[in-house]
Amino acid sequence: MTNRRESILSENLLEVQGLKIHYPVKSKNRLGNSVSWSKAVDGVSFTVKKGETFGVVGESGCGKSTTGKAIIRLLEPTEGKILFDGKDISGYSRKELARKIQMIFQDPFSSLDPRMTAGTCIAEPLSVHKVGTKKERRDRAVQLMKDVGLREDQYERFPHEFSGGQRQRIGVARAIALQPELVVCDEPVSALDVSIQAQILNLMKELQNKYKLTYIFISHNLSVVKFLCDRVAVMYLGHIVELADKKELFDNPCHPYTKALLDAIPIADPDVKSMNGELTGDVPSPLNPPSGCCFHTRCPYATERCRKEAPVLHETAKGHTVACHQFHESETL
Ligand code: SF4
């Protein structure tokens, strides 16, 4: 079993190479109109292995959702490539790609059409792709409802008749209806109560085993990522600043930003003190990112070099890469 999983995890399903997504932002000044560029994602590279759950974490505005949208071609890259099974995704039609990559969205209410019943909503991708007969599509939708913990008698109910957790179950069933290989999950539980979050995460694990799914799991919540993911990339202001196996990242975080994020996880013991100091200030604007290391305006270890020179990702242990000058110099932060 372990060998089989290891061999599944050794094959790359997705490769993101130097992805940049820059948005033009028009503004007026005394000299007329000008265009500046918002660097939402600025040179991100990573691979996702078949069968794994790859986590992408960071604060709001770090570029994680933008990266997810580029992977399903909701956004076109400004620069860089995304390869799925070795082929550039721009070489697939949107319809072909939809059969291979799907997305689960954050808000289970707005992502469902309020005029469609739960069953129709789940069967809709099958209709669009002309899969099977009408009866087969209905049977498949019923099976998917059961797979996600809903009942057949709820087929004709509308989204507003379901709770938030049940709506997200419909969203999950719809996302896997076409049996995609990769599912991009964009904060799929952050709009739900904590007790419901655990149910949906357990459901996602079950479905991953049953349907041999690969997940990219985007979240700002490190506790959730720790539960579900195999490897984790930490993003800050459009860059990956650290990438490692989940255990390695949580046991041995290197980047000051990762340490600060881990420190922000609430501990249910008032006597346990924070080890690394809290993260202060906001993420700078991607319209005007800081020079040098993009984290230097919030980093307690920043030096003159950090303000001038951007660090590159550097391997510190097998499969563990970090972008930080100070760490590579002393490894004692
Ligand atoms: Fe902090 Fe400098 Fe490392 Fe950036 S390169 S994280 S500013 S120590």
Side-chain angles (χ1 to χ4, degrees), residues 241 254-257 292-303 305-307 309-311 322-328 333:
V241 295
C254 295
H255 197 280
Y257 180 60
C293 171
C294 58
F295 188 57
H296 86 248
T297 53
R298 301 170 82 191
C299 180
Y301 310 101
T303 62
R305 182 184 177 197
C306 303
R307 287 180 257 281
E309 192 186 322
V322 187
C324 173
H325 295 311
Q326 296 283 322
F327 183 81
H328 301 316
L333 281 185

Side-chain angles (χ1 to χ4, degrees), residues 227-244:
F227 175 76
L228 201 71
C229 297
D230 298 301
R231 289 187 304 136
V232 183
V234 180
M235 279 190 77
Y236 186 80
L237 209 60
H239 300 265
I240 289 179
V241 295
E242 187 159 9
L243 197 162

Side-chain angles (χ1 to χ4, degrees), residues 11-189:
E11 292 171 44
N12 286 341
L13 183 64
L14 187 90
E15 286 175 55
V16 176
Q17 299 176 348
L19 179 69
K20 291 188 183 180
I21 300 185
H22 297 177
Y23 298 109
V25 179
K26 288 182 185 158
S27 57
K28 275 190 176 174
N29 57 26
R30 278 178 298 166
L31 300 173
N33 291 332
S34 70
V35 176
S36 39
W37 293 89
S38 174
K39 297 176 179 176
V41 178
D42 202 20
V44 160
S45 300
F46 60 89
T47 57
V48 179
K49 295 170 186 166
K50 241 174 217 176
E52 79 170 334
T53 301
F54 184 83
V56 184
V57 289
E59 292 165 286
S60 169
C62 70
K64 55 193 189 305
S65 293
T66 308
T67 303
K69 285 178 186 156
I71 291 168
I72 61 162
R73 283 193 72 195
L74 277 180
L75 295 170
E76 291 298 331
T78 309
E79 222 179 285
K81 271 188 196 168
I82 302 173
L83 307 180
F84 181 85
D85 248 344
K87 179 176 165 184
D88 196 321
I89 60 167
S90 61
Y92 292 100
S93 69
R94 282 180 201 276
K95 216 168 167 183
E96 278 174 324
L97 198 66
R99 295 198 73 145
K100 297 176 183 300
I101 309 178
Q102 280 287 328
M103 191 158 193
I104 300 172
F105 295 92
Q106 175 179 356
D107 184 347
F109 197 76
S110 60
S111 64
L112 300 176
D113 186 336
R115 296 160 304 178
M116 278 187 177
T117 66
T120 328
C121 201
I122 295 168
E124 192 194 25
L126 301 170
S127 307
V128 170
H129 289 262
K130 298 186 173 51
V131 178
T133 62
K134 199 172 174 188
K135 177 169 182 325
E136 284 166 344
R137 291 197 286 269
R138 185 187 166 95
D139 290 347
R140 173 86 182 124
V142 168
Q143 181 55 51
L144 285 162
M145 288 182 79
K146 290 178 184 165
D147 284 346
V148 298
L150 297 171
R151 300 186 311 272
E152 184 173 358
D153 64 288
Q154 293 172 316
Y155 192 99
E156 300 298 342
R157 292 196 192 167
F158 288 91
H160 72 269
E161 298 177 78
F162 292 93
S163 66
Q166 287 174 321
R167 285 197 290 263
Q168 195 55 300
R169 287 173 192 269
I170 298 170
V172 171
R174 183 183 158 94
I176 62 170
L178 289 167
Q179 298 188 314
E181 289 170 71
L182 175 66
V183 182
V184 180
C185 315
D186 188 6
E187 302 263 16
V189 295

